[in-house]
Structure formats: structure tokens, C-alpha cells
Amino acid sequence: MKTIHVDLGDRSYPIFISSDLIASKTAQTLLADSIRGKQVMIVTNETIAPIYLKKVEQLLAHEYQVSSTILPDGESFKNLDTLNQIFTSLLESRHNRTTTLIALGGGVIGDMTGYAAASYQRGVDFIQIPTTLLAQVDSSVGGKTGVNHALGKNMIGAFKQPQSVIIDIDTLQTLDKRQFAAGMAEVIKYGLIWDSEFFKWIEDNIVQLVSRDPDTLQYAIAKSCEIKAAVVAEDETEKGLRAILNLGHTFGHAMETFGNYSTFLHGEAVAAGMVMATDLSERLGWLETGITDRLKKLNQQLNLPNSSPEGMDMDDYINYMSVDKKNLDSDIRLVLLMGLGKAIITTEYDKVVFESTLKDYCS
Ligand code: NAD
Ligand code: GLY
């Protein structure tokens, strides 16, 4: 078992990473250590419930009043109506202020359960059991929670740190290939923004990663969590540094919005967006040449995209990127690289080079 600590004073918590965990005595002990009351509500979805719900329920049934809420699956259900289903279940089963919510699923379940925990009876505890690679390396760590609004993604939410994050690597064996690759985009991101050695390690181990070798995955997940924990510990509520975690995301959000969230998965859009951010950094002379090609090669090996969705043009990018949450005024703020493993957040870049990069990635 690998344990990482997220250091946030009285909101600090551990991340446990291991194989063969979700139905084990060890998981039972880890859960018990994080649960303060006698009531537990597991929140999951229709896809994950048949595979994993019983296993988690069985760990808890002897000691706690356990209820479960099974939500419909999909980003389109990450909204206030679905959130209300969680509150209704909690109230119907008479959960009180000492209850603990358990998020069993990917980022959609984690974000919604965390936000439910932030607001149910003005705040109760929650635990993350992430089951997608994206959730294990990114969304379950750092306390961003929330739901989408018809007028914008993740526009309603709160910072709410979990009591613990329990990661069973074996849950990734049931994840489909496309979702796995989308999570790998976020793993690669950590190498690009923070740790050049880790980027090199990913290149050297890409075959084992694609075949989901447990030891290789454990290292990649632990390293990713370590980097995310370090960034979040410095800037929990994204006053500055934390925005580097969004490398490629401003380009990617534009692609997701253009495709109405049905062309690219989030991680796929991030993969293509990171290529654009890296290429722009090279063109500006800030990053040594060759990194973009290395990134494109990794993306190819994972079957991730290296360019924009069909039909998207430069004006689409400018329009969608102008409304990004990271912008503080009218300028488009970008995360760019000043070297491999060194990210900055800036509006100070040559707009002509920026526009010509956008053009080159449009068909
Ligand atoms: P997701 O939660 O939609 O999961 C992807 C699909 O995989 C779903 O169909 C799900 O049911 C299925 N699934 C999950 N685990 C499985 C398993 N082990 N076996 C088989 N199928 C499984 O998507 P995601 O990529 O995990 O998360 C995306 C969400 O995360 C977005 O809403 C995004 O906004 C959010 N996010 C949040 C943060 C944060 O910091 N809070 C960071 C990144 C992304
Ligand atoms: N996924 C970006 C963040 O947690 O800040």
C-alpha cells in the first residue's frame, strides 16, 4: 500500500493506493478510521453499482446504518436535479449531521457527492473511492466539488475536502479503453507541468501503462497524487499556482463546448489542448523544441487526439476561450511551459503567435 498525505492543516487527509483493496479487511479498517458517526450513504451510478456496490456495502453493514443511492450515469446528469436525489435519499433514510457520504465512482459521482456533503445540513463528512483513472489521479484529490448548470460546466460548487481517498487500482480493469486513455492525459499533464523525470518515465513505461500493469499503474497514480497534493497544499482555493493543473484545459474546454460535450471526452480534449499549449510554448521560444513531438507520440500510443475536432476554426477557439473561468479580465489566460516540468499562468504572450498556432490545429 502506498500512502500520500494531502497537507491542509485541519483539513489534511490521506490517499491510500493499492491493488486488491475494495473488498478487503484493510479497506474496512481504512473506512472505519474515516467515519465518525454511525450512518453511511454510498453514492454511485447504474454502471458501477452492479460491479462494486455490494463489495463496499459488505464492508460497512456490520457496524453502520448503510444506505445507497444509485444515480443515472453520465455528465448530463451532473446537475441540481440529480443532486436533489441525493438529498431526498438522505432525508428519507433520516441521515443526521454525523453521517458520512461515500463517493463510489468516477469524477461525476465524486464531484456531486462532494458537493452534497458540502451542503447537506450545512456540511457532513465524505470519503472518495474513485474508480476511473481520471478520478484516481485528479478529481478525487483537492476538494473541488460541484455540478453543471445549463449555462456552464462546473458553475455551481464548493471546496470540500474528503476525509480520505481510497484507491483500488484493480477497479481500472473494468474501465473501457477510451476512458482509461482519457485519464492518462491527466497523468501526462503532471509530467509536463511539474516533473520532467516523470514525463520521461511515462515515455519509458507507456507499453506497461497501456496494458494496465498494476505495479506500473500504482507508481503512476501515486506520483500524480503526490504532485496534485503538493500543488493543492500550496494553493487550496486556486488563488494562483493551482491553475497550472489546467494545462491544455482552456483549449480543451473550447473543444468540449464546440462538440457539445459529445465529440471528445474531457481527457481527450485535454490531450489535444496540451499539444496546442506545448506547441505554442515552443513557438514562443519558451520551451525546448521536440517536447510537442514527444507528447504527440505518447498521445498516439494511447489513441488520444492531437488536433481539434472536425470543423472547428480559430474564431470558435477565441469565442469559447474568452469565457473561461480562469480569465480575470478580457485577456485569455493560458497555462504555458517555460521548460519541461515548469508551468506558468500568463496573459503575456505574443497574440500573433497564439493565433497562428490555433490556425495550424484547425482543419
Ligand atoms: P465519469 O465519472 O463520467 O466516468 C466515466 C465512465 O466510466 C462513466 O460511464 C462511469 O459510469 C464509468 N465507470 C467509472 N468507473 C468505472 C469502472 N471502474 N469500471 C467501468 N466503468 C466505470 O468520468 P470521469 O472521467 O471519471 O470524470 C469526469 C468528471 O470529473 C467531469 O464531470 C469533470 O468535470 C470532473 N472533474 C473534476 C475534477 C475536480 O478536481 N473535482 C477534476 C477533473 C475532472
Ligand atoms: N483539476 C484541476 C484542479 O483540481 O484544480
Side-chain angles (χ1 to χ4, degrees):
M1 165 105 67
K2 179 93 183 142
T3 308
I4 314 280
H5 288 280
V6 186
D7 203 354
L8 290 170
D10 61 1
R11 292 177 310 291
S12 298
Y13 53 94
I15 306 167
F16 303 105
I17 307 164
S18 175
S19 289
D20 211 5
L21 190 58
I22 203 164
S24 68
K25 272 255 166 246
T26 309
Q28 195 168 46
T29 310
L30 297 178
L31 284 166
D33 289 347
S34 294
I35 298 171
R36 292 193 271 201
K38 281 281 159 206
Q39 297 179 310
V40 172
M41 166 74 74
I42 305 168
V43 182
T44 189
N45 75 24
E46 288 162 350
T47 307
I48 299 151
I51 327 178
Y52 300 113
L53 180 56
K54 274 241 138 44
K55 293 182 176 155
V56 179
E57 279 175 344
Q58 277 165 4
L59 296 180
L60 299 162
H62 67 294
E63 182 126 15
Y64 305 98
Q65 176 202 323
V66 183
S67 328
S68 300
T69 302
I70 301 175
L71 302 175
D73 185 5
E75 182 76 32
S76 60
F77 295 101
K78 186 179 159 183
N79 56 34
L80 287 170
D81 288 341
T82 314
L83 188 75
N84 205 30
Q85 265 180 256
I86 305 176
F87 295 139
T88 303
S89 296
L90 285 164
L91 289 164
E92 280 176 352
S93 311
R94 297 178 185 280
H95 281 251
N96 60 42
R97 290 174 63 193
T98 66
T99 192
T100 297
L101 309 196
I102 298 182
L104 174 65
V108 168
I109 288 294
D111 281 11
M112 278 199 292
T113 308
Y115 190 42
S119 43
Y120 184 66
Q121 302 204 12
R122 300 198 183 86
V124 297
D125 289 346
F126 91 113
I127 297 169
Q128 292 268 18
I129 306 185
T131 61
T132 63
L133 182 57
L134 183 135
Q136 294 182 356
V137 300
D138 189 356
S139 62
S140 68
V141 176
K144 280 189 183 175
T145 71
V147 295
N148 302 330
H149 185 279
L151 298 181
K153 190 168 149 61
N154 292 329
M155 281 295 159
I156 300 162
F159 284 100
K160 169 78 180 170
Q161 303 294 344
Q163 298 301 113
S164 61
V165 182
I166 299 175
I167 298 176
D168 184 343
I169 290 156
D170 295 344
T171 57
L172 300 180
Q173 300 300 334
T174 55
L175 194 63
D176 77 37
K177 225 173 153 178
R178 203 174 155 202
Q179 292 288 352
F180 180 81
M184 274 303 302
E186 302 285 359
V187 174
I188 294 168
K189 174 189 80 182
Y190 292 114
L192 288 168
I193 61 166
W194 196 263
D195 187 336
S196 58
E197 286 297 312
F198 183 45
F199 185 79
K200 176 86 175 55
W201 179 90
I202 297 167
E203 294 180 302
D204 293 343
N205 289 277
I206 192 67
V207 174
Q208 295 90 316
L209 287 165
V210 169
S211 65
R212 304 185 206 183
D213 169 67
D215 290 341
T216 317
L217 272 179
Q218 175 156 0
Y219 180 82
I221 294 166
K223 193 75 187 166
S224 301
C225 288
E226 247 169 53
I227 295 171
K228 179 142 189 191
V231 173
V232 169
E234 249 182 74
D235 179 21
E236 184 182 6
T237 55
E238 202 166 313
K239 301 276 186 296
L241 178 76
R242 184 168 178 163
I244 67 167
L245 296 172
N246 291 320
L247 177 72
H249 286 56
T250 311
F251 298 94
H253 280 155
M255 294 182 223
E256 287 182 279
T257 315
F258 173 80
N260 213 7
Y261 296 94
S262 56
T263 308
F264 282 171
L265 296 175
H266 174 72
E268 292 172 333
V270 167
M274 290 194 303
V275 170
M276 294 171 77
T278 303
D279 197 347
L280 173 57
S281 307
E282 280 189 27
R283 291 179 195 213
L284 291 165
W286 297 355
L287 175 67
E288 70 239 49
T289 45
I291 306 296
T292 309
D293 286 342
R294 286 166 66 186
L295 175 59
K296 282 183 177 170
K297 187 170 171 212
L298 277 178
N299 283 351
Q300 272 162 3
Q301 286 166 297
L302 287 157
N303 216 11
L304 288 166
N306 275 325
S307 58
S308 313
E310 205 54 39
M312 189 165 178
D313 62 26
M314 194 185 77
D315 290 339
D316 295 321
Y317 273 106
I318 304 281
N319 285 339
Y320 295 128
M321 289 171 91
S322 304
V323 295
D324 190 86
K325 278 207 292 295
K326 280 185 297 305
N327 298 333
L328 301 179
D329 44 43
S330 58
D331 286 333
I332 298 173
R333 284 178 94 214
L334 291 176
V335 182
L336 296 171
L337 298 178
M338 289 300 254
L340 183 56
K342 192 167 184 311
I344 56 152
I345 309 135
T346 183
T347 52
E348 304 293 312
Y349 49 85
D350 186 326
K351 303 296 181 291
V352 176
V353 181
F354 169 62
E355 294 194 358
S356 72
T357 309
L358 289 180
K359 270 193 198 133
D360 288 347
Y361 281 88
C362 294
S363 49

